[in-house]
Amino acid sequence: MNLMLPYAEARQKVIEIAAALRRPARRETIEIEQAFDRVLAREVRADRDYPPFNRSTRDGFAVRAADTAAPGARLECIGELRAGGSFEGTVETRQCVEIMTGASVPAGTDAVAMIEHTKREGRTITLERAAQIGDHIVPRGSEARAGASLVAANTRIGYAEMALAAQAGTTRLEVFAKPRLAILSTGDEVVDARATPGPLQVRNSNGISIEVLARTAGAESIQLGNAPDEKVALRKDIERGLEADILVLSGGVSMGKYDLVEQVLGDLSAEFHFTGVAIRPGRPAVFATCRDKLVFGLPGNPVSTMVTFELFVLPAIDLLSGASPRPLPIFQGKLVTPVHEKGAIAHFLPARIEWEGREARVTQLPWQGSGDIVALALANGFLVVGPERPDIAPGEWVDLLPRRGAI
Ligand code: AMP
Ligand code: MG
């Protein structure tokens, strides 16, 4: 089977298929401190109006704006209000109350004059500027009404959402359980990263890159180790991987005689959604569903594995987490050195992105192709070059994709 897609379409395919799977049913309740990056399953509501009272946003004097229209208006200060304090009674004409930031504006007043714009002699306050109704007051309920939704279900929780939940007193949050992602590398030549490789063996680096990409994207990872390039053993490991929500394989998806992943998935009646993507690195990437689970067969070359994970596996993790897929954060920068890339494919080239003022400048890094993690570790992003631009001159604008966590 040969189902080769442009990368944007391949990504869209993943989003369609993952969205069509059942939403995560499993939920759990966690303490607010643990909620960063989790996905909310039950909305957080306002327990009262926010702000709960008409709040002063400045230190100064609570006044009746109408009293301050004449230049140099003089008012009598009849009291003081600190944050958390209350003022009994009503402020009458040509009176004012000294007020601190965060205090409740007293009855009768409708503006706060900043202390910087006043002069004080005993109980007499002289205003240097006229106050307008509403100056430096946030009205009760203007941020949110009691009962309103503050954080919607399916939101990925960041620090602002956590602060908002804390403000509303929701200190235990109902979130979706993380999707479980099984990691299986393949290859007779691959040994554990802690083992001493023979001269022709390679250490398993994909296990760690996939694990950290999965974990930081919000999945729980399960390491299945390495499968040999042999059908019976590979099938057994793949079947174990299918117990998770997502199975990510590395290696064994190219055209070689011992690239058996597609065959074994076929034997397990997988439905293939693509078996190649028009990109480099990452061309042989495979995406299938099998026993209602998502299966990604990523090419084994380490840079291919990482690029295809970012492009295709991340949106699947988002959707199975209960969130919307985060968009690819592509932005533009100016090319520093010329780029020449051939072929009817999109290139994701390791690149160094620096800023000059507000303008991003990008330099392609020398590299030995999709096995070159040395180059990738020096890169903080990728230069994304489509097939329509074989030659790009310095100064031209190009698309850039940050390497996750590196910018
Ligand atoms: P494959 O996709 O199986 O054809 O592998 C492509 C290249 O990636 C080969 O040079 C493999 O040795 C290498 N490779 C495969 N799996 C891993 C892995 N888990 N860690 C590091 N390199 C790998
Ligand atoms: Mg292999």
Side-chain angles (χ1 to χ4, degrees):
M1 179 182 324
N2 188 10
L3 261 172
M4 170 83 68
L5 296 179
Y7 85 87
E9 278 177 39
R11 196 177 145 85
Q12 200 46 46
K13 194 78 193 165
V14 170
I15 291 171
E16 261 168 45
I17 301 287
L21 277 188
R22 247 175 307 119
R23 285 270 167 178
R26 293 173 296 129
R27 296 163 175 230
E28 58 197 42
T29 301
I30 58 171
E31 294 296 329
I32 191 168
E33 288 81 0
Q34 314 306 323
F36 186 76
D37 240 8
R38 299 297 301 267
V39 180
L40 200 60
R42 180 196 293 270
E43 70 177 354
V44 174
R45 288 171 174 272
D47 60 318
R48 54 180 179 165
D49 286 343
Y50 285 98
F53 48 83
N54 297 325
R55 183 178 61 206
S56 174
T57 62
R58 294 286 190 278
D59 297 315
F61 295 91
V63 301
R64 303 163 71 102
D67 293 344
T68 71
R74 291 151 74 94
L75 305 178
E76 181 198 4
C77 183
I78 59 166
E80 177 193 287
L81 253 178
R82 56 174 73 187
S86 60
F87 184 83
E88 309 302 331
T90 302
V91 178
E92 305 291 346
T93 306
R94 280 195 294 282
Q95 293 183 329
C96 67
V97 170
E98 187 173 11
I99 193 165
M100 316 298 154
T101 300
S104 167
V105 174
T109 65
D110 53 21
V112 170
M114 288 166 64
I115 197 156
E116 293 88 335
H117 301 149
T118 62
K119 278 208 186 83
R120 178 171 200 153
E121 281 166 88
R123 284 163 64 95
T124 304
I125 310 301
T126 307
L127 297 175
E128 292 168 354
R129 301 182 181 185
Q132 308 297 321
I133 291 177
D135 276 1
H136 310 305
I137 296 172
V138 183
R140 173 178 180 159
S142 61
E143 293 167 0
R145 287 283 178 203
S149 175
L150 294 178
V151 189
N154 305 107
T155 301
R156 191 175 286 283
I157 301 166
Y159 61 81
E161 290 84 354
M162 290 167 76
L164 188 48
Q167 177 178 262
T170 309
T171 53
R172 286 171 66 73
L173 297 172
E174 197 173 313
V175 297
F176 292 113
K178 295 179 181 185
R180 288 162 308 162
L181 184 148
I183 303 166
L184 179 62
S185 76
T186 71
D188 288 339
E189 76 286 22
V190 177
V191 300
D192 189 272
R194 289 190 171 81
T196 306
L200 305 179
Q201 293 180 316
V202 299
R203 293 193 184 92
N204 182 0
S205 66
N206 293 337
I208 191 71
S209 60
I210 293 175
E211 171 157 344
V212 71
L213 279 161
R215 177 157 28 94
T216 54
E220 204 168 89
S221 60
I222 302 155
Q223 283 287 1
L224 297 182
N226 186 68
D229 295 318
E230 187 274 309
K231 278 176 86 172
V232 176
L234 181 58
R235 178 181 171 128
K236 219 170 117 225
D237 284 339
I238 287 181
E239 288 194 284
R240 273 175 66 206
L242 291 172
E243 290 166 20
D245 302 305
I246 304 173
L247 168 60
V248 177
L249 293 127
S250 81
V253 287
S254 308
M255 301 301 286
K257 204 164 153 190
Y258 300 102
D259 290 324
L260 303 172
V261 168
E262 252 182 84
Q263 275 183 49
V264 171
L265 285 171
D267 292 346
L268 291 166
S269 311
E271 182 186 349
F272 291 94
H273 306 294
F274 56 78
T275 57
V277 184
I279 51 170
R280 187 176 296 142
R283 199 166 193 272
V286 169
F287 172 51
T289 34
C290 190
R291 300 183 182 169
D292 248 1
K293 303 299 174 65
L294 302 181
V295 182
F296 294 88
L298 307 182
N301 261 315
V303 180
S304 308
T305 310
M306 293 183 253
V307 168
T308 50
F309 194 104
E310 289 216 28
L311 294 177
F312 308 120
V313 187
L314 286 177
I317 293 176
D318 280 341
L319 284 159
L320 267 60
S321 300
S324 311
R326 283 167 278 203
L328 263 191
I330 288 184
F331 64 102
Q332 293 226 307
K334 261 188 187 168
L335 194 62
V336 175
T337 46
V339 166
H340 307 283
E341 291 295 343
K342 307 274 171 284
I345 54 174
H347 298 265
F348 286 75
L349 306 165
R352 192 76 210 164
I353 302 164
E354 311 286 354
W355 273 263
E356 251 182 59
R358 295 166 63 177
E359 212 169 83
R361 301 285 168 94
V362 61
T363 309
Q364 182 186 356
L365 295 177
W367 74 316
Q368 300 300 319
S370 53
D372 190 351
I373 325 181
V374 177
L376 188 65
L378 294 173
N380 59 356
F382 300 94
L383 218 164
V384 186
V385 179
E388 72 289 353
R389 296 180 81 182
D391 299 293
I392 314 177
E396 288 190 40
W397 290 96
V398 287
D399 284 347
L400 305 175
L401 177 67
R403 174 158 73 76
R404 248 161 55 92
I407 290 180

